Amino acid sequence: MGRQKKVTPNGKYKVRLKKNATNDELLSLQLEYVWNRESVRVQESLKVRMQDWDPKANNGIGGLKSTYGPEYNRENKRLVKRVQTIDTQLREYNDAHPGQITIQTIRDFINSKPILNKDKGQDFCEFVEQRLKIRYDTKKIGRSVYENGISCMRMFRRFIKITQRGTYIKDSIYLGEVNQELIYEFNKWRRDINGNSDETINHGLTPIINACEYAANMGFIETAVYYAIKDLRSKSCYTANEDSEVIYLTEEHMNKLLKFYDEDTEIRRKEYIEMFLLSFHCCGLRVVDLMTLQWSHIDWEKKEVNKVQVKTKNRNIIPLNDDAIAILKKWQIKRGKNKYVLDLIDDNLVVSDRDKFYNARISATKCINQALKVVGDRLDIPFSLTMHKARHTFAVWALNKGTSISVISRLLGHESTGITEKVYAQFLTSTLAEEVERLKFCFLPSTMKS
């Protein structure tokens, strides 16, 4: 009948031999699994001498001799238990998934990856990023939303690492380990340490909530966990959302801000207010595009900015009004010899270096928003003043002045008018009514006229 093929592999230990090694030299011990003529070897922390090792001990698993010392028996039990645990897991996995054991499966069990758990040992951040990629590829979300989501997960990994919440590696947790408390602490960390606004924090919850919903539907996490995480969005401290709730300055707020600027004596804070006003006058230019604005992007003769947006990677041409030019001229006196217009990032920084640029971007945004928050508090503005409010303020004011949604969409640099309509839909009703009234069509039978 021939030799029956094993349905699961069994592990054993081997001493990693060196050329010209002596009997007294300490050598590395390796755990080895062989499957389909391929092998997986993992180095153990234990080191042994050849004279203290018996490869046939423990039914062929290998073991230490008594010459190793008084700890040999305890160490042997530990080594045998490790192999028996992995062998048992492989058998259970094969029972649940017949014939599907691979070298990667073995490697996952050796590294204690819980692939028998509900989440199948999936990394949480990778799972969220995969869902984002699928949604982007199927055109359910745009590029900017996709990149914002990826940026959020990079920040989550940083949070996990800094706060030492990583489980199997320093900056990662498994999908099944995510819970409401962890996400709440992440949100709190973003607000207290990173200085992110409540709107930004709530916005960053979206990819996490969407991924958790899918995970719950697939049985990877408990449904109660998904609903608990989703509930964080409705908490009072996270209610504002940049997409669903547009918060902007009124003319009264803006006049207060200008008066504060005239009276303020702190130079750097005045510069941050200038940046806010420049964003407003540059048709709601995003803070990341202000940071990367170069003098070479400005055409003084045509009075316009011609720049590729960082988020969308699309080129956008922005007309410059006299107020914007006045601010830029002031900065030209101070920074005209530098590469970047504003004093936010180093001239030697390369934007394509994603990690360095990401850190510079976070640091700069935090400084600006912290300063603006102080200003807003002193002026009794009933919301947190951030750079993004300049963008919303421009869009809302332009709509109220009768500017068409398609023109505003182009000025904001949105990828489509659909995005603009979605964000500013609540402000369209009065504008549309004013447009109809302005047309003054009058085709009615005389008997029906009042």
Side-chain angles (χ1 to χ4, degrees):
M1 291 179 61
R3 189 173 180 180
Q4 188 174 3
K5 183 180 178 181
K6 292 192 299 182
V7 293
T8 60
N10 298 108
K12 61 181 179 180
Y13 294 99
K14 285 187 174 182
V15 174
R16 186 179 180 183
L17 297 175
K18 291 182 179 178
K19 287 184 179 180
N20 304 320
T22 64
N23 281 340
D24 291 330
E25 186 174 352
L26 289 173
L27 302 172
S28 297
L29 188 66
Q30 293 182 327
L31 173 58
E32 180 183 56
Y33 277 81
V34 178
W35 188 243
N36 292 334
R37 299 183 181 179
E38 292 186 72
S39 63
V40 179
R41 298 187 186 94
V42 178
Q43 186 167 308
E44 300 292 294
S45 59
L46 186 67
K47 291 184 179 291
V48 300
R49 298 178 300 177
M50 281 301 300
Q51 63 187 32
D52 297 330
W53 182 255
D54 181 3
K56 296 182 180 179
N58 300 314
N59 296 319
I61 290 176
L64 297 165
K65 298 178 183 178
S66 58
T67 54
Y68 175 81
E71 299 292 319
Y72 90 98
N73 197 33
R74 185 171 64 84
E75 288 291 351
N76 274 337
K77 288 181 180 179
R78 181 181 67 81
L79 292 172
V80 170
K81 183 179 179 181
R82 173 160 161 73
V83 170
Q84 288 178 342
T85 299
I86 296 171
D87 288 355
T88 300
Q89 289 176 331
L90 287 167
R91 286 193 295 271
E92 290 175 353
Y93 183 85
N94 187 68
D95 290 341
H97 312 280
Q100 295 185 31
I101 289 179
T102 64
I103 286 293
Q104 185 59 50
T105 307
I106 299 169
R107 187 176 288 112
D108 288 342
F109 278 121
I110 291 175
N111 293 322
S112 301
K113 190 173 182 180
I115 60 178
L116 287 176
N117 290 1
K118 280 185 175 183
D119 62 7
K120 299 183 180 179
Q122 297 184 75
D123 179 270
F124 173 66
C125 291
E126 288 179 359
F127 184 81
V128 176
E129 289 165 358
Q130 287 167 5
R131 294 304 307 162
L132 279 165
K133 183 68 166 57
I134 291 171
R135 288 172 64 80
Y136 174 65
D137 289 343
T138 54
K139 301 188 184 304
K140 291 182 178 178
I141 58 174
R143 184 176 184 83
S144 61
V145 175
Y146 169 72
E147 291 191 348
N148 280 341
I150 296 297
S151 175
C152 176
M153 297 322 294
R154 280 202 301 268
M155 192 179 296
F156 185 83
R157 286 190 186 279
R158 184 179 170 211
F159 159 74
I160 290 292
K161 186 175 182 179
I162 290 175
T163 58
Q164 298 182 341
R165 284 175 166 83
T167 51
Y168 69 100
I169 53 178
K170 289 183 178 179
D171 65 349
S172 299
I173 62 169
Y174 291 118
L175 176 59
E177 294 172 325
V178 68
N179 54 49
Q180 182 189 32
E181 181 183 357
L182 180 69
I183 301 302
Y184 178 84
E185 289 300 321
F186 173 50
N187 291 346
K188 188 174 184 296
W189 177 83
R190 291 189 67 182
R191 186 177 67 253
D192 297 344
I193 306 300
N194 263 18
N196 295 136
S197 66
D198 290 342
E199 301 98 307
T200 302
I201 293 169
N202 200 44
H203 190 53
L205 276 176
T206 301
I208 291 175
I209 290 173
N210 288 340
C212 287
E213 180 181 19
Y214 181 79
N217 290 336
M218 295 296 292
F220 297 151
I221 64 173
E222 298 294 334
T223 303
V225 171
Y226 156 62
Y227 280 114
I229 292 172
K230 184 180 179 182
D231 188 50
L232 289 175
R233 173 173 282 169
S234 64
K235 297 299 182 185
S236 59
C237 60
Y238 304 127
T239 52
N241 182 288
E242 290 180 4
D243 283 341
S244 61
E245 185 175 349
V246 175
I247 302 175
Y248 62 98
L249 277 69
T250 63
E251 287 192 34
E252 181 185 356
H253 294 149
M254 193 68 88
N255 287 327
K256 282 184 177 181
L257 182 62
L258 295 178
K259 186 174 185 297
F260 180 91
Y261 174 88
D262 289 336
E263 297 173 353
D264 195 19
T265 57
E266 190 172 319
I267 295 175
R268 190 55 175 162
R269 187 164 58 206
K270 286 170 74 81
E271 289 181 340
Y272 288 145
I273 296 174
E274 289 171 9
M275 295 175 195
F276 181 91
L277 295 172
L278 183 60
S279 172
F280 170 77
H281 287 299
C282 286
C283 306
L285 194 64
R286 294 183 181 94
V287 63
V288 69
D289 287 311
L290 280 176
M291 288 172 55
T292 54
L293 181 64
Q294 301 177 25
W295 293 112
S296 59
H297 296 147
I298 300 171
D299 189 324
W300 298 103
E301 198 172 309
K302 293 183 179 179
K303 293 186 176 182
E304 65 183 26
V305 168
N306 190 325
K307 184 183 186 298
V308 174
Q309 297 178 103
V310 174
K311 284 184 68 173
T312 65
K313 303 298 186 290
N314 295 327
R315 184 170 294 280
N316 197 24
I317 297 177
I318 302 165
L320 295 173
N321 62 20
D322 291 341
D323 292 339
I325 290 175
I327 296 171
L328 289 171
K329 288 289 186 182
K330 181 177 180 180
W331 278 84
Q332 190 180 37
I333 296 172
K334 295 187 295 182
R335 299 271 299 171
K337 295 180 179 179
N338 297 84
K339 178 180 178 181
Y340 295 108
V341 173
L342 304 178
D343 187 20
L344 292 173
I345 56 177
D346 190 88
D347 279 354
N348 296 320
L349 181 67
V350 180
V351 176
S352 58
D353 187 335
R354 295 175 66 90
D355 290 336
K356 288 185 179 179
F357 177 64
Y358 173 77
N359 291 332
R361 174 184 174 181
I362 292 297
S363 177
T365 305
K366 178 181 177 181
C367 290
I368 298 172
N369 285 340
Q370 283 180 337
L372 291 178
K373 185 179 186 303
V374 171
V375 174
D377 290 344
R378 291 188 182 182
L379 299 180
D380 292 326
I381 293 177
F383 50 79
S384 181
L385 185 61
T386 65
M387 279 295 290
H388 202 76
K389 300 300 189 304
R391 183 172 173 83
H392 283 327
T393 302
F394 165 77
V396 173
W397 285 23
L399 277 169
N400 289 337
K401 291 286 186 180
T403 309
S404 70
I405 196 73
S406 60
V407 170
I408 292 174
S409 182
R410 288 174 61 189
L411 293 174
L412 291 174
H414 282 163
E415 291 186 294
S416 70
T417 55
I419 295 173
T420 317
E421 289 174 349
K422 177 182 176 182
V423 177
Y424 299 103
Q426 59 185 300
F427 301 98
L428 288 175
T429 305
S430 59
T431 303
L432 292 174
E434 290 168 4
E435 286 293 305
V436 172
E437 178 63 26
R438 185 179 61 81
L439 294 174
K440 295 188 180 299
F441 289 145
C442 186
F443 293 92
L444 197 66
S446 58
T447 54
M448 296 178 63
K449 292 180 181 180
S450 56

